[in-house]
Amino acid sequence: MTTELAHPDDADWRVVGTRTDSSRIALATVRAETTLYEHVPSADSLEAVQPPEIDVPLRSLFAIELSFSPSLSAVGISPDAGIDLAAPKAKSQFVATLEDEGLDVGEQKRVGRLSREDGTEGRWYVLETAYPVAAGAADEGERPTVAAETHVAVWPTAESFAVAGGVLPLEAPPALESGLEVDVERDQQRLLDVVRALEIGERSEDESADVGDAGPGEDDTAAGDGA
């Protein structure tokens, strides 16, 4: 199932793939349905530096819907109450997926609160990332990677949890210095705006929490958790 975007900037993103994975946690089966998007305005430029064995673009967005069997409610667990335990695990699982793709995900830079448009509060992680580039895209003798960030947001839904975020460049590969615009603050805000509006496992108004406005740049006491 493809997750539909719900933000005015959604036309800038297009689906490049979907996948479904299953895993076991204790006595439950967890099903993860992932939709991967690429940023249309920069897709052609980035395709020139993306190694063929890596499916995740350097400027990308992902949305993951998690479901549990048996359901959390059937075993007496509330997603709202379980977010502090679920968020680090979901983040670490996604980091492992990126590393399997060939990305080098490093230290956690910060963690903050996510306040979504529906009032739900979640967690937002930002991690240092080195993105491999294709042969010929880096200067001779240099390590063939560019500096990037991985953003991972996790929040409770009506019956489960949702995960979303993306990868964004902090610099342009040498081969694209004149052809790829890098604006980190703009990319971070664009990613935040889309994630805050994502419709995954929607909650009713009565279920949505009344929380303050915060973003991924605001650290909290959980910042010591690593990938």
Side-chain angles (χ1 to χ4, degrees):
M1 181 182 69
T2 300
T3 298
E4 301 294 336
L5 303 181
H7 186 270
D9 290 339
D10 292 349
D12 288 344
W13 300 93
R14 66 185 172 206
V15 175
V16 293
T18 60
R19 61 183 286 179
T20 300
D21 300 290
S22 295
S23 60
R24 295 281 297 180
I25 297 180
L27 299 178
T29 298
V30 184
R31 179 183 174 93
E33 298 182 5
T34 303
T35 305
L36 177 66
Y37 304 82
E38 67 180 354
H39 186 243
V40 176
S42 55
D44 290 342
S45 295
L46 292 176
E47 185 177 5
V49 302
Q50 183 174 335
E53 69 274 14
I54 293 180
D55 293 329
V56 178
L58 177 55
R59 185 176 277 146
S60 57
L61 168 71
F62 65 87
I64 305 173
E65 182 169 3
L66 300 178
S67 58
F68 291 78
S69 179
S71 67
L72 295 181
S73 59
V75 294
I77 298 175
S78 162
D80 288 300
I83 185 63
D84 286 334
L85 290 176
K89 293 182 182 295
K91 178 261 298 182
S92 295
Q93 183 60 50
F94 183 73
V95 166
T97 299
L98 290 183
E99 290 176 334
D100 288 344
E101 279 280 318
L103 279 67
D104 182 5
V105 183
E107 294 295 320
Q108 182 168 289
K109 300 172 69 172
R110 58 188 180 273
V111 58
R113 290 185 299 115
L114 167 69
S115 294
R116 287 179 28 87
E117 290 183 357
D118 63 3
T120 307
E121 182 177 308
R123 303 292 179 267
W124 188 289
Y125 301 90
V126 183
L127 302 105
E128 296 177 351
T129 302
Y131 187 95
V133 294
D139 290 338
E140 185 176 353
E142 292 187 356
R143 185 185 181 195
T145 62
V146 294
E149 282 183 346
T150 295
H151 291 245
V152 186
V154 186
W155 67 93
T157 62
E159 292 291 335
S160 182
F161 304 97
V163 185
V167 178
L168 58 89
L170 301 183
E171 61 182 357
L176 295 179
E177 285 182 347
S178 61
L180 178 67
E181 180 185 1
V182 175
D183 185 330
V184 178
E185 290 187 4
R186 178 204 60 195
D187 282 355
Q188 290 173 339
Q189 188 61 50
R190 178 165 54 198
L191 192 61
L192 173 62
D193 289 344
V194 173
V195 169
R196 291 185 69 215
L198 270 174
E199 298 176 354
I200 303 177
E202 289 186 74
R203 302 154 65 99
S204 68
E205 291 185 5
D206 290 340
E207 292 174 315
S208 297
D210 182 14
V211 297
D213 188 22
E218 184 173 328
D219 291 348
D220 64 21
T221 55
D225 175 64

